[in-house]
Amino acid sequence: MKDNKKSSKVGVIISVFAIIIASITFVYAIIKGKPNWTNGIILFCAIGIFCSNISIYKSQKNKDNNSK
């Protein structure tokens, strides 16, 4: 159980970095006046991945707490 919780925590951390990078590129595209459809889609997908990783982490954490 600890290994699953640890890997889901790493997934949350990686998705936070992905959101930060996608946000920076989205803002950069807005500032430069470039088309930002793809940047917006990437940002939306990164937020979706973050939310799914959070739910996986919470379920792993609940399983770990219930097994104690």
Side-chain angles (χ1 to χ4, degrees), residues 31-50:
I31 291 172
K32 290 294 183 176
K34 297 180 181 178
N36 54 4
W37 280 99
T38 55
N39 294 331
I41 291 171
I42 291 171
L43 180 61
F44 180 73
C45 291
I47 291 171
I49 291 169
F50 172 74

Side-chain angles (χ1 to χ4, degrees), residues 13-61:
I13 293 169
I14 290 172
S15 63
V16 166
F17 285 130
I19 288 174
I20 292 170
I21 292 169
S23 298
I24 290 170
T25 57
F26 186 72
V27 169
Y28 180 76
I30 289 174
I31 291 172
K32 290 294 183 176
K34 297 180 181 178
N36 54 4
W37 280 99
T38 55
N39 294 331
I41 291 171
I42 291 171
L43 180 61
F44 180 73
C45 291
I47 291 171
I49 291 169
F50 172 74
C51 292
S52 67
N53 281 331
I54 284 289
S55 67
I56 291 169
Y57 177 72
K58 283 183 180 181
S59 69
Q60 291 295 328
K61 191 173 178 181

